[in-house]
Amino acid sequence: MTIFEIVKTSINTREAAERYGIDVNRYRKALCPFHNDRHPSMNVYDDHYHCFACGEHGDVINLVARLYDLPMYEAAQKLAYDYAYHRTSRPPRKWRKN
């Protein structure tokens, strides 16, 4: 299995969104972090997200790539590391705070 397959089958988009600071309500709605949103317009499901205001959509890897401005592979690595699906004991230098 590739890192993309492992991450997509193992990590829930809603859980990842909440872990990275997006407050998802019980109706699966959230304020979209990709535009100035005052009313929840983003639906966050277990396997994907979609914002009806700006049209942003994707899976868990797309969400993290967009939130942290990372390439897809590095977003998958970040998710794998943050959810303990990693092979190294330290995060890549780019994500460390020093």
Side-chain angles (χ1 to χ4, degrees):
M1 286 182 95
T2 67
I3 190 168
F4 294 104
E5 292 168 334
I6 293 168
V7 167
K8 286 181 184 182
T9 59
S10 304
I11 301 172
N12 183 315
T13 304
R14 182 179 178 153
E15 290 173 4
E18 290 173 343
R19 180 179 188 133
Y20 297 123
I22 299 172
D23 186 31
V24 182
N25 69 21
R26 64 182 174 174
Y27 303 109
R28 297 182 177 157
K29 294 280 216 175
L31 294 175
C32 182
F34 308 120
H35 70 275
N36 189 11
D37 205 0
R38 291 186 295 173
H39 303 287
S41 63
M42 185 167 78
N43 286 345
V44 183
Y45 301 101
D46 291 342
D47 62 342
H48 70 283
Y49 70 95
H50 180 82
C51 177
F52 290 98
C54 69
E56 184 65 35
H57 65 278
D59 59 17
V60 66
I61 298 172
N62 297 111
L63 178 68
V64 172
R66 189 75 201 279
L67 280 174
Y68 291 96
D69 195 27
L70 295 171
M72 296 293 279
Y73 186 72
E74 289 181 19
Q77 286 180 318
K78 177 172 179 44
L79 281 160
Y81 180 81
D82 290 346
Y83 282 87
Y85 294 108
H86 57 86
R87 295 183 181 151
T88 62
S89 60
R90 295 173 44 158
R93 173 167 276 171
K94 196 173 195 177
W95 310 328
R96 282 187 255 151
K97 293 187 179 186
N98 289 341

